[in-house]
Amino acid sequence: VQLQASGGGLVQAGGSLRLSCASSGINFSIMRMGWYRQAPGKQRELVAAIASGGSTDYADSVKGRFTISRDNAKNTVHLQMNSLKPEDTAVYFCNAFKWVVGNTNDYWGQGTLVTVSS
């Protein structure tokens, strides 16, 4: 199983970035895909998630600014981040999750750093 995140970088406040996570070795279309982030000294938190059926969840802090999407044909999930703020600075991790009775599949990518300068 491999989740390869990309697209991080340095951007000024108000700017945009698009993160991508390419997966292999999983049945992507049935997985709940998520983006989490972890800032220095803080716990990892959910940023956005998209279910296999396409329903989405967002952290309150990113609603209206971030959009998660998935491309099942390319086994890829994206996170479009607009109107970035310095407090969005963190390492962003891709997650693939699927739970059924008796079995949990929970996979993580290596993370990509997003730095937003003021």
Side-chain angles (χ1 to χ4, degrees), residues 3 8 25 32-33 49 54 57 72-73 82-83 87-89 101 106 111:
L3 300 176
R32 174 184 180 268
M33 300 302 298
D57 289 309
N72 288 342
N82 299 330
S83 302
E87 51 263 44
D88 295 318
T89 295
V101 175
D106 191 11

Side-chain angles (χ1 to χ4, degrees), residues 11-93:
V11 64
Q12 289 188 333
S16 298
L17 283 174
R18 180 178 168 88
L19 305 184
S20 296
C21 175
S23 69
S24 60
I26 60 173
N27 189 348
F28 180 85
S29 64
I30 69 169
M31 305 295 282
R32 174 184 180 268
M33 300 302 298
W35 286 98
Y36 290 72
R37 67 186 181 188
Q38 187 166 19
K42 295 188 177 181
Q43 289 188 330
R44 189 173 298 189
E45 63 175 356
L46 175 68
V47 176
I50 184 166
S52 57
S55 60
T56 57
D57 289 309
Y58 294 94
D60 288 343
S61 59
V62 307
K63 284 181 181 177
R65 300 188 297 123
F66 290 10
T67 302
I68 189 171
S69 61
R70 64 190 297 155
D71 185 340
N72 288 342
K74 296 183 178 180
N75 294 343
T76 301
V77 61
H78 302 285
L79 184 68
Q80 178 66 44
M81 305 186 294
N82 299 330
S83 302
L84 282 161
K85 304 175 180 179
E87 51 263 44
D88 295 318
T89 295
V91 178
Y92 284 70
F93 297 89

